[in-house]
Amino acid sequence: MKQLQTLKEEQISLSLFENFDRQQYVTHCRRKIDGQWMVVETAFVEQWYEEDYRHRAEELKQTLREGGVVFAVFRQGMMKGFAAVESTFFGSRKQYLELSSIHVSADCRNQGIGRLLMDACKQWAKEKGAQFLYISAHSSVESQAFYTALGCREAREYSRLHVEKEPFDCQLEVEL
């Protein structure tokens, strides 16, 4: 049974990630080449280690301190997915709030956890007055398929800050 929770800062610690596996084998990614999206072969493993989990915990706490939200999905008391939305509006019409994190443990993917998290994030952002969630998303073919299945599309406006920070990410939006 999946249980969705809105986390508080005091709930976020390294121990929250004890049974969370952020591993992803990537063989192909989407890249914009000469203005056209193409799938290119690129093999690597995306894996988080203790320092990565520690850094992520601090980022999630900062999101909460700045007025954002963090959702988590638990199974049998173990966190198996989490997502965060930042509180600062941006875009030419202040239409965006950023979905800064959405991750599902490798052992629980394709079981509806990502959709449950995205729905909670969309609802929260809509209640705050946003028109879209903005996502600077991992460019792996699998990640892009996930976002497409949830109704995301290429962002109409790119955030220069996000592009500079992660130049290989795909800049997406989803209407609320």
Side-chain angles (χ1 to χ4, degrees), residues 137-155:
H138 195 287
S139 63
S140 72
V141 169
E142 297 82 5
S143 294
Q144 291 303 302
F146 164 75
Y147 288 113
T148 299
L150 295 178
C152 299
R153 63 176 182 240
E154 184 175 2

Side-chain angles (χ1 to χ4, degrees), residues 80-145:
K80 292 299 180 176
F82 67 94
V85 180
E86 304 302 319
S87 63
T88 304
F89 286 86
F90 64 98
S92 62
R93 299 180 327 277
K94 303 292 186 209
Q95 71 271 30
Y96 292 117
L97 283 177
E98 178 190 2
L99 177 76
S100 56
S101 287
I102 187 165
H103 299 282
V104 176
S105 186
D107 59 319
C108 290
R109 292 188 186 135
N110 299 309
Q111 297 177 23
I113 292 173
R115 181 175 296 279
L116 181 63
L117 289 164
M118 180 67 91
D119 288 347
C121 290
K122 287 169 62 175
Q123 183 62 38
W124 185 87
K126 186 175 184 175
E127 288 171 5
K128 296 294 177 192
Q131 294 174 297
F132 300 91
L133 277 178
Y134 186 96
I135 307 123
S136 184
H138 195 287
S139 63
S140 72
V141 169
E142 297 82 5
S143 294
Q144 291 303 302

Side-chain angles (χ1 to χ4, degrees), residues 42-116:
T42 178
F44 63 93
V45 177
E46 180 82 21
Q47 177 70 52
W48 289 355
Y49 298 99
E50 184 175 335
E51 187 55 36
D52 299 300
Y53 289 110
R54 189 180 318 281
H55 179 73
R56 185 63 56 172
E58 289 307 313
E59 286 180 340
L60 295 175
K61 288 179 186 179
Q62 187 64 32
T63 294
L64 293 173
R65 284 192 288 268
E66 293 175 356
V69 69
V70 177
F71 295 105
V73 172
F74 291 84
R75 278 207 173 144
Q76 300 173 340
M78 297 176 286
M79 185 180 71
K80 292 299 180 176
F82 67 94
V85 180
E86 304 302 319
S87 63
T88 304
F89 286 86
F90 64 98
S92 62
R93 299 180 327 277
K94 303 292 186 209
Q95 71 271 30
Y96 292 117
L97 283 177
E98 178 190 2
L99 177 76
S100 56
S101 287
I102 187 165
H103 299 282
V104 176
S105 186
D107 59 319
C108 290
R109 292 188 186 135
N110 299 309
Q111 297 177 23
I113 292 173
R115 181 175 296 279
L116 181 63

